[in-house]
């Protein structure tokens, strides 16, 4: 007998089905059932805003979920999806839980997550028209529409989609550098760290830092600095919704100073930008359209899964420095023949169609629906502030400007404040942030969940005061 060409072994695995095409939806449906079951099971097992036990317990559990991450023989789609999605959900810090309120870490809307699934299945890549014919139009129209919200009086406003506020701030500084050479950046002490990092990345001079003793840029100090540095090309960066306190720099007054001193202005409205959609709150952004560029995120106060962010400019020509030529993507003859050239709308090449989930959300909710989410979230923050103000053993930093509430137990040391936060994390009871303001450390609740109820807020306060009391009695927190 002759030897078989291939020794007998297990039958070859069938080629896994694809997500797209006419067969894609049918292939996805049972897998989605598995994913949804696993999400449910993980959330049930967790039973709170994050897993109890701290990093040691979570890491150990995650590493013992069964199979090696790269086994010799695969375990199959159903098993891998069920095991890993359940483990991730069980070990998640879930912003959909009302007591998960540390960061600008939004609970995504179900409809936006569903739209993102479609983006994954179709997988358009936004770097050339031949990878994203319809998605290119959607992105072009959506960025134009959002830019027009930000710059309602500009004739050719435009925006590019970014991975977040960090990238949008970097692009803003890059565009300023391309207009003026090595600009001197002037930022508030309250600015997001990405501004400073962008100057490092772009080889710009170290930013000049303006004090922000009340949480917003000190105008007198800004005026003095602009006067002192007037012989340099200057870019002031202001913040509409600071990371630590949610305050909004005095936009109009800063824009006036920039005009007087011939400086340009970038506004990081990563957090506060969507207030534009609320007739009740949009006034707090008055003057936003005086900026040369605006960072605007929808994966914060816009309930989108990451990432969903923009850098907007009043004149589409401001984006010209991003133009780039790569003949396999935007050959001149293709462009002349009418194929849209999208490569210059980002520094990235392969790029997801984040426009889809944003467009689905805006169309589904409309202006009034989005305004309602924003107003409700801000009202919740004010309710928490009320509870703290009337509480006998808690101090409030200030009334919230957007949805950030800073508070601390009366008389607690900074060390105690940090210990309270970590105890709540380790117990899996609450995810609160921390911030330094007025020379002290505060607990930070960044409220982004429009479903949070007054009862949820009462419980959150009880959780904090229970730990505070235990620490005061000398019990060891766990
Ligand atoms: C004011 C501000 N700008 C920029 C960013 C960075 O945004 P991202 O995390 O989306 O890059 C943040 C993040 O919280 C922020 O608070």
């Amino acid at each position: 007998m002759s030897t078989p060409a291939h020794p007998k072994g297990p039958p070859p695995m069938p080629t896994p089905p694809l997500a797209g095409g006419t067969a894609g939806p049918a292939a996805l449906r049972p897998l989605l059932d598995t994913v949804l079951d696993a999400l449910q099971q993980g959330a049930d097992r967790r039973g709170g805003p994050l897993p109890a036990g701290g990093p040691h317990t979570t890491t150990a559990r995650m590493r013992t979920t069964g199979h090696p991450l790269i086994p010799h023989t695969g375990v199959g789609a159903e098993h891998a999806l069920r095991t890993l999605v359940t483990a991730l959900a069980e070990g998640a810090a879930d912003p959909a839980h009302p007591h998960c309120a540390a960061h600008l870490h939004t609970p995504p809307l179900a409809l936006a997550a569903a739209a993102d699934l479609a983006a994954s299945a179709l997988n358009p890549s936004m770097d050339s028209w031949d990878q994203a014919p319809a998605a290119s139009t959607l992105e072009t129209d959506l960025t134009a529409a959002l830019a027009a919200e930000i710059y309602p009086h500009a004739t050719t406003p435009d925006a590019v989609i970014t991975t977040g506020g960090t990238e949008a701030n970097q692009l803003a500084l890059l565009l300023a550098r391309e207009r003026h050479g090595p600009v001197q950046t002037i930022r508030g002490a309250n600015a997001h760290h990405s501004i400073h990092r962008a100057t490092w990345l772009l080889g710009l001079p170290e930013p000049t830092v303006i004090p922000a003793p009340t949480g917003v840029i000190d105008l007198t100090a800004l005026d003095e600095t602009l006067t002192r540095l007037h012989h340099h090309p200057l870019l002031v960066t202001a913040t509409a919704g600071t990371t630590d306190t949610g305050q909004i720099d005095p936009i109009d007054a800063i824009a006036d100073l920039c005009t007087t001193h011939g400086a340009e202005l970038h506004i990081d409205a990563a957090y506060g930008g969507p207030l534009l959609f609320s007739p009740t709150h949009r006034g707090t952004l008055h003057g936003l359209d005086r900026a040369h560029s605006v960072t605007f995120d929808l994966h914060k106060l816009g309930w989108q899964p990451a990432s969903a962010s923009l850098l907007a400019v009043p004149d589409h020509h401001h984006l010209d420095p991003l133009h780039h030529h790569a003949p396999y993507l935007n050959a001149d003859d293709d462009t002349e023949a009418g194929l849209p050239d999208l490569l210059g709308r980002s520094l990235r090449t392969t790029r997801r169609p984040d426009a889809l989930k944003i467009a689905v959300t805006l169309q589904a909710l409309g202006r009034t629906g989005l305004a309602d989410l924003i107003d409700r979230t801000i009202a919740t923050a004010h309710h928490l502030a009320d509870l703290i103000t009337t509480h006998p053993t808690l101090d409030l930093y200030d009334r919230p400007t957007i949805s950030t509430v800073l508070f601390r137990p009366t008389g607690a040391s900074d060390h105690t404040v940090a210990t309270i936060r970590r105890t709540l994390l380790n117990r899996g009871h609450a995810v609160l942030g921390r911030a330094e303001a007025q020379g002290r450390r505060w607990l930070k609740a960044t409220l982004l969940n429009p479903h949070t109820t007054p009862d949820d807020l009462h419980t959150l306060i009880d959780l904090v005061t229970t730990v505070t009391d235990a620490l005061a009695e000398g019990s060891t927190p766990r």
Side-chain angles (χ1 to χ4, degrees):
M1 252 171 82
S2 62
T3 317
H6 299 289
K8 272 204 177 148
M13 289 255 287
T15 308
L18 302 177
T22 52
L28 270 174
R29 205 175 294 278
L31 297 175
L32 285 185
D33 279 344
T34 303
V35 166
L36 297 179
D37 286 349
L39 286 175
Q40 184 71 57
Q41 197 178 17
D44 289 345
R45 280 192 198 164
R46 174 170 23 88
L50 81 164
H56 180 73
T57 307
T58 313
T59 303
R61 192 185 303 123
M62 194 66 209
R63 291 202 174 133
T64 51
T65 45
H67 298 273
L69 287 178
I70 311 181
H72 178 68
T73 305
V75 297
E78 217 277 336
H79 187 86
L81 268 177
R82 185 173 296 284
T83 313
L84 287 173
V85 174
T86 306
L88 215 68
E90 184 179 356
D94 185 354
H97 192 287
H99 298 154
C100 183
H103 302 287
L104 288 159
H105 171 206
T106 212
L109 296 174
L111 72 99
D116 224 11
L117 170 71
S120 289
L122 291 167
N123 205 25
S125 183
M126 305 307 301
D127 47 318
S128 67
W129 186 85
D130 57 2
Q131 301 174 85
S136 302
T137 307
L138 183 66
E139 180 179 291
T140 305
D141 293 353
L142 180 78
T143 47
L146 285 169
E149 298 286 329
I150 297 166
Y151 291 107
H153 307 298
T155 42
T156 58
D158 203 354
V160 288
I161 292 199
T162 67
T163 50
T166 300
E167 186 191 345
N169 286 338
Q170 279 170 6
L171 282 182
L173 267 63
L174 171 74
L175 295 178
R177 185 193 73 181
E178 293 306 294
R179 283 195 294 274
H180 302 293
V183 284
Q184 175 63 50
T185 309
I186 300 172
R187 67 162 179 93
N190 58 356
H192 189 254
H193 65 85
S194 58
I195 298 284
H196 208 109
R197 219 168 184 206
T199 60
W200 163 78
L201 182 73
L202 295 165
L204 295 173
E206 279 274 302
T208 302
V209 180
I210 306 297
T214 61
V216 296
I217 284 181
D218 180 302
L219 291 171
T220 308
L222 178 62
D223 193 14
E224 284 165 10
T225 303
L226 286 166
T227 306
R228 181 167 53 82
L229 297 175
H230 74 275
H231 46 280
H232 295 279
L234 300 175
L235 176 72
V236 174
T237 70
T239 312
T242 60
T243 315
D244 278 349
T245 65
Q247 288 168 272
I248 297 176
D249 281 330
I251 296 175
D252 265 319
I254 292 174
D256 287 345
L257 287 175
C258 288
T259 307
T260 304
H261 293 279
E264 289 204 346
L265 174 62
H266 167 67
I267 298 183
D268 175 357
Y271 179 11
L275 295 177
L276 281 180
F277 285 105
S278 161
T280 313
H281 295 287
R282 64 178 307 155
T284 55
L285 296 181
H286 192 267
L288 187 71
D289 60 343
R290 298 174 67 186
H292 292 77
S293 51
V294 172
T295 290
F296 188 99
D297 277 7
L298 286 151
H299 61 212
K300 297 182 171 57
L301 200 62
W303 297 281
Q304 299 301 297
S307 57
S309 172
L310 302 169
L311 178 74
V313 292
D315 176 349
H316 66 91
H317 284 303
H318 288 185
L319 300 173
D320 286 352
L322 299 179
H323 282 168
H324 184 66
H325 204 56
Y328 77 105
L329 294 169
N330 59 356
D332 286 341
D333 55 318
D334 274 351
T335 306
E336 278 154 26
L339 294 195
D341 172 2
L342 296 151
L343 188 61
R345 299 194 61 83
S346 179
L347 292 182
R348 290 176 281 157
T349 306
T350 300
R351 195 157 64 75
R352 281 172 64 81
D354 293 325
L356 177 60
K357 63 196 167 196
I358 302 173
V360 166
T361 303
L362 294 175
Q363 198 171 76
L365 301 183
R367 290 173 189 282
T368 53
L370 196 58
D372 183 55
L373 283 181
I374 291 167
D375 293 354
R376 216 146 8 120
T377 303
I378 295 177
T380 303
H382 278 275
H383 191 70
L384 179 61
D386 291 341
L387 294 178
I388 292 163
T389 308
T390 53
H391 196 283
T393 63
L394 293 175
D395 294 342
L396 178 72
Y397 165 75
D398 204 352
R399 302 297 304 174
T401 307
I402 308 179
S403 64
T404 303
V405 180
L406 264 51
F407 64 107
R408 65 198 318 282
T410 308
S413 68
D414 286 353
H415 175 74
T416 300
V417 171
T419 308
I420 293 167
R421 186 183 102 87
R422 272 194 304 276
T423 304
L424 291 169
L425 284 178
N426 287 334
R427 289 179 178 173
H429 287 174
V431 192
L432 288 173
R434 55 190 278 171
E436 315 292 322
Q438 294 170 339
R440 289 189 296 178
R441 183 168 299 150
W442 301 80
L443 293 167
K444 176 172 80 163
T446 312
L447 298 166
L448 289 175
N449 187 336
H451 292 274
T452 299
T453 65
D455 276 353
D456 295 327
L457 299 177
H458 277 287
T459 313
L460 183 62
I461 286 184
D462 286 347
L463 287 167
V464 170
T465 51
T466 303
V467 172
T468 311
D469 293 346
L471 288 170
E473 284 162 15
S475 346
T476 315
R478 297 190 45 192

